Amino acid sequence: MKKIFFSVFVCLTFLCMKCKDEIEPIDLLPSATQTGKNTFGCLINGEPFTPDELASSLSVQYSSNDEKYFYLSAIRNTDNIIVSPAFGVVNLPIVEGKRYNLSIKEEDDAYGLLYIKSEFIYTYKNYGELFISKHDTERRIISGTFWFNARSRTAALYRITEGRFDIKY
């Protein structure tokens, strides 16, 4: 009986150790914060994406004047292949707690965009969403989540999921 108990204990110990070694892709993304930490992350076809550590790797444009717009992009350059997921909102106010449907890039709309291997790949068939969880105009912070699908000219489908951002503009 002691041998069986010991064998089960050893097996469970090794199984638990294996579980701890496996890191889920989502665990490699920055936390979903709302304090203006200038973070951005998402999964692209299940693979974690975060921008390069350079100051220019996270770009934000925001205006609440007559011409309202909000655009956020992140860049990573790996082996001379630039990957840049982005989204924009054109001629619509940015409102805390609002969900924006991401569609094909047009005026007065919100859209998703993926730049990869010198190709701009836009939201596929109005399929995506941007959620503004925080918009603090006094502290100049916009935070939220996003996801969208984009299809290239060669019909490759890119699924951008679990997106989160927390920026100071």
Side-chain angles (χ1 to χ4, degrees):
M1 182 71 168
K2 287 182 181 180
K3 286 183 180 180
I4 292 173
F5 178 73
F6 181 73
S7 296
V8 169
F9 176 75
V10 169
C11 287
L12 286 174
T13 302
F14 282 117
L15 283 173
C16 289
M17 286 174 55
K18 183 176 185 331
C19 293
K20 287 183 182 178
D21 290 342
E22 292 179 18
I23 297 174
E24 293 295 320
I26 195 168
D27 295 334
L28 298 173
L29 300 180
S31 300
T33 57
Q34 299 182 345
T35 57
K37 288 187 173 186
N38 285 331
T39 59
F40 183 103
C42 63
L43 300 178
I44 300 176
N45 290 344
E47 295 297 318
F49 173 91
T50 54
D52 291 332
E53 301 271 331
L54 306 172
S56 61
S57 295
L58 189 60
S59 175
V60 62
Q61 298 171 9
Y62 173 76
S63 172
S64 60
N65 298 330
D66 292 337
E67 185 183 340
K68 296 171 180 57
Y69 62 87
F70 173 51
Y71 179 80
L72 181 60
S73 69
I75 297 171
R76 185 174 67 216
N77 186 344
T78 306
D79 298 326
N80 291 323
I81 296 175
I82 296 173
V83 177
S84 178
F87 54 82
V89 179
V90 181
N91 290 327
L92 297 170
I94 299 301
V95 179
E96 184 173 311
K98 182 169 176 146
R99 294 184 188 282
Y100 299 83
N101 290 324
L102 299 180
S103 62
I104 298 169
K105 185 179 178 184
E106 294 176 358
E107 286 189 32
D108 302 334
D109 215 344
Y111 62 94
L113 167 67
L114 177 64
Y115 178 85
I116 189 168
K117 298 180 182 175
S118 70
E119 181 180 3
F120 289 99
I121 307 165
Y122 288 95
T123 312
Y124 174 66
K125 290 189 177 178
N126 302 331
Y127 205 66
E129 183 178 86
L130 166 65
F131 175 69
I132 304 297
S133 58
K134 181 172 192 84
H135 184 199
D136 184 336
T137 55
E138 188 174 304
R139 293 175 51 210
R140 300 175 52 96
I141 294 171
I142 301 178
S143 305
T145 59
F146 65 95
W147 65 269
F148 62 91
N149 290 342
R151 189 174 296 276
S152 73
R153 287 179 285 215
T154 61
L157 180 63
Y158 295 91
R159 297 181 192 280
I160 291 74
T161 58
E162 301 296 336
R164 71 264 322 255
F165 63 96
D166 179 20
I167 55 104
K168 217 166 172 66
Y169 59 91

